[in-house]
Amino acid sequence: MARDPKAERAPDHCTACEHEDSADKRVQQPRKKSLTNRLRRIEGQIGGVLNMVEQDRYCVDILTQISAVKSALDGVATEILSAHVNGCVRTAVQTDGGEDAIEELLGVVRRMIR
Amino acid sequence: MARDPKAERAPDHCTACEHEDSADKRVQQPRKKSLTNRLRRIEGQIGGVLNMVEQDRYCVDILTQISAVKSALDGVATEILSAHVNGCVRTAVQTDGGEDAIEELLGVVRRMIR
Amino acid sequence: MARDPKAERAPDHCTACEHEDSADKRVQQPRKKSLTNRLRRIEGQIGGVLNMVEQDRYCVDILTQISAVKSALDGVATEILSAHVNGCVRTAVQTDGGEDAIEELLGVVRRMIR
Amino acid sequence: MARDPKAERAPDHCTACEHEDSADKRVQQPRKKSLTNRLRRIEGQIGGVLNMVEQDRYCVDILTQISAVKSALDGVATEILSAHVNGCVRTAVQTDGGEDAIEELLGVVRRMIR
């Protein structure tokens, strides 16, 4: 497939500035604005679930709503994972073979699969 | 197993007052206070994830945090499911055989398993 | 909903003859023939995955096939769970309140959700 | 971390000989013998589940066994995924940027998370 890799990749990978400690590392998400909007909506959904419990709403309706929140979180996680593989992991592989980045990625995926 | 069913069941089943429409149905959760506290903590965790994205925190750390939130939601859902089966479903089975309550329960569980 | 519960339930609940030890308990599945056929097909699918590995087939194709097997197993598990709730659990609730049957059911569901 | 990448990688990545069509592609799994042994055991476990249904064994025991099979399949899938990322995906990234390999990988992971 012939495509301009820069035009293509631009919106779907994160750009990292590396630090020793992962808590100091800074990684800009490509669709940061859209991600934070989605997370704000999820925060609101949790508030909605909380209200449902407070107002003694029907168990099944609460459980359905919790399943919806989990799906929304999966959506956000999938997008961040995609940016991470296209950005951090790809860069690491091209820089030093990516040994550690790949091991870390597999750990994250294992946790997501559970 | 000989046990006083009343003493035993008291804290782990929901108590429903039925209505035609599930949105009007009122079901008091047995550990309502603890549930709302857990949901408030989860709401705070989502806010934390949001901050991590805003502050360009490392993708893997964000994904790990999202997995933690999902586990916490599973904990809440499992507790509500347990109260629902011990309360609403049991009552329905004893009252009218529980045809509809069981069908609805299986739908919820299917969605939780996905 | 007015329906003849006998006509309705007949095909979707298991019929148990109880014993002290679960290994001695005998429970006839309602659609036993269809279940064993599905399991035989799944057994064949696993054989197929094994052949794919032996023949050095492409990793992604193997993983896709494994996901298909897991979905098929979920289908079988969901059907058995449904028969179990409609049969064993319902009977237990109507007989002795179902304390133990419900606790056991919730354990199974928790394991299925993981 | 100072390590000899060759010594390290040798056992955990697949080695591919590429073809246009994925069905023609040949990829040797690093621990092929161990993988086929595990799959043969899983095949046997499915046969065991089938026998349990035939012998009218208790629903909960069957469901527990199905959960065990699914965990075993997750183990196999995780190992193949790991070999795939360390082999095919890494090679693709180093050869042509890995655009397509990464997109395909994310599709597989999404299916595994479901």
Side-chain angles (χ1 to χ4, degrees):
Chain A
M1 249 175 284
R3 18 183 185 175
D4 177 352
K6 233 178 246 138
E8 169 95 281
R9 255 178 248 164
D12 64 2
H13 76 289
C14 55
T15 38
C17 119
E18 304 260 340
H19 288 263
E20 275 306 292
D21 183 8
S22 81
D24 292 332
K25 214 183 252 185
R26 285 295 166 270
V27 178
Q28 169 113 34
Q29 293 301 320
R31 275 185 288 262
K32 193 169 156 175
K33 186 78 201 154
S34 133
L35 274 180
T36 51
N37 282 341
R38 283 160 78 180
L39 284 163
R40 224 178 299 279
R41 218 170 310 134
I42 291 170
E43 202 179 27
Q45 283 179 297
I46 299 281
V49 173
L50 207 154
N51 284 338
M52 291 175 88
V53 174
E54 296 242 319
Q55 292 160 20
D56 301 331
R57 290 286 302 281
Y58 184 42
C59 324
V60 170
D61 293 344
I62 303 177
L63 291 171
T64 301
Q65 192 54 23
I66 292 179
S67 290
V69 175
K70 283 184 62 190
S71 288
L73 278 172
D74 276 336
V76 169
T78 299
E79 180 164 335
I80 294 176
L81 184 75
S82 167
H84 177 62
V85 177
N86 277 293
C88 303
V89 178
R90 189 206 303 261
T91 303
V93 169
Q94 288 170 337
T95 309
D96 70 353
E99 215 72 30
D100 297 339
I102 288 176
E103 198 180 309
E104 190 186 48
L105 169 68
L106 291 167
V108 155
V109 168
R110 234 171 266 131
R111 239 169 299 142
M112 288 172 83
I113 300 172
R114 226 169 338 157
Chain B
M1 250 173 283
R3 19 181 184 175
D4 176 353
K6 233 177 245 136
E8 169 94 279
R9 255 178 248 164
D12 64 2
H13 75 290
C14 54
T15 37
C17 117
E18 304 259 340
H19 288 262
E20 274 307 291
D21 183 9
S22 81
D24 291 333
K25 213 184 253 183
R26 286 295 167 269
V27 179
Q28 169 112 33
Q29 294 301 320
R31 276 184 287 263
K32 194 169 155 176
K33 187 78 200 152
S34 134
L35 275 180
T36 52
N37 282 341
R38 282 160 79 180
L39 283 164
R40 223 177 299 278
R41 218 170 311 134
I42 291 171
E43 202 180 28
Q45 284 179 296
I46 299 281
V49 172
L50 206 154
N51 285 339
M52 291 175 89
V53 174
E54 296 242 320
Q55 292 160 19
D56 300 331
R57 290 285 302 280
Y58 184 43
C59 324
V60 170
D61 293 344
I62 303 176
L63 291 171
T64 301
Q65 193 54 23
I66 292 179
S67 291
V69 175
K70 283 184 62 189
S71 289
L73 278 171
D74 276 337
V76 169
T78 300
E79 179 164 337
I80 295 175
L81 184 75
S82 167
H84 177 62
V85 177
N86 276 294
C88 303
V89 178
R90 189 205 304 260
T91 304
V93 169
Q94 287 171 336
T95 309
D96 70 353
E99 216 72 29
D100 297 340
I102 287 176
E103 199 180 310
E104 190 186 49
L105 169 68
L106 291 167
V108 154
V109 168
R110 235 172 264 131
R111 238 169 299 141
M112 289 173 82
I113 299 173
R114 224 167 339 155
Chain C
M1 249 174 283
R3 20 182 183 176
D4 177 351
K6 234 177 243 136
E8 168 95 280
R9 258 179 245 165
D12 64 2
H13 75 288
C14 55
T15 38
C17 119
E18 303 260 341
H19 287 262
E20 274 306 291
D21 182 11
S22 82
D24 291 333
K25 214 183 252 184
R26 286 294 167 271
V27 178
Q28 170 112 32
Q29 293 300 320
R31 276 185 287 263
K32 192 169 157 176
K33 187 78 201 154
S34 134
L35 274 180
T36 52
N37 283 342
R38 282 161 78 179
L39 284 164
R40 223 178 300 280
R41 219 170 310 134
I42 291 170
E43 202 179 29
Q45 283 180 296
I46 299 280
V49 173
L50 206 154
N51 284 339
M52 291 176 90
V53 174
E54 295 242 318
Q55 291 161 21
D56 301 331
R57 290 286 301 282
Y58 183 43
C59 324
V60 170
D61 293 344
I62 303 176
L63 291 171
T64 301
Q65 193 54 25
I66 292 178
S67 291
V69 175
K70 283 183 62 189
S71 289
L73 278 172
D74 276 337
V76 169
T78 300
E79 181 164 336
I80 294 175
L81 184 75
S82 167
H84 178 61
V85 178
N86 276 293
C88 303
V89 178
R90 189 205 304 261
T91 304
V93 169
Q94 288 171 336
T95 309
D96 70 353
E99 215 74 28
D100 297 339
I102 287 175
E103 198 180 310
E104 190 185 50
L105 169 69
L106 290 167
V108 155
V109 169
R110 236 172 264 132
R111 238 170 299 141
M112 289 173 83
I113 299 173
R114 226 168 335 159
Chain D
M1 248 173 285
R3 21 182 184 176
D4 176 353
K6 233 178 244 136
E8 169 94 281
R9 257 178 247 164
D12 64 2
H13 76 289
C14 55
T15 38
C17 118
E18 303 260 342
H19 287 262
E20 274 306 292
D21 182 10
S22 82
D24 292 333
K25 213 183 252 184
R26 285 295 166 271
V27 178
Q28 170 111 34
Q29 293 301 321
R31 277 184 287 263
K32 193 170 156 175
K33 187 77 201 154
S34 135
L35 275 180
T36 51
N37 282 342
R38 282 160 77 180
L39 284 163
R40 225 178 297 281
R41 219 169 310 134
I42 291 170
E43 204 180 27
Q45 284 179 296
I46 299 282
V49 173
L50 206 153
N51 285 338
M52 290 175 90
V53 174
E54 297 242 319
Q55 291 160 21
D56 301 331
R57 290 285 302 281
Y58 184 43
C59 323
V60 170
D61 293 344
I62 303 177
L63 290 171
T64 301
Q65 192 53 25
I66 291 179
S67 291
V69 175
K70 282 185 63 190
S71 289
L73 278 172
D74 276 337
V76 169
T78 299
E79 179 163 337
I80 294 176
L81 183 76
S82 167
H84 178 61
V85 177
N86 277 293
C88 302
V89 178
R90 188 205 304 261
T91 304
V93 169
Q94 287 170 337
T95 308
D96 70 354
E99 214 73 29
D100 297 340
I102 287 175
E103 198 180 310
E104 191 186 48
L105 169 68
L106 290 168
V108 154
V109 168
R110 235 171 266 132
R111 239 170 296 140
M112 288 172 84
I113 300 172
R114 224 168 337 158

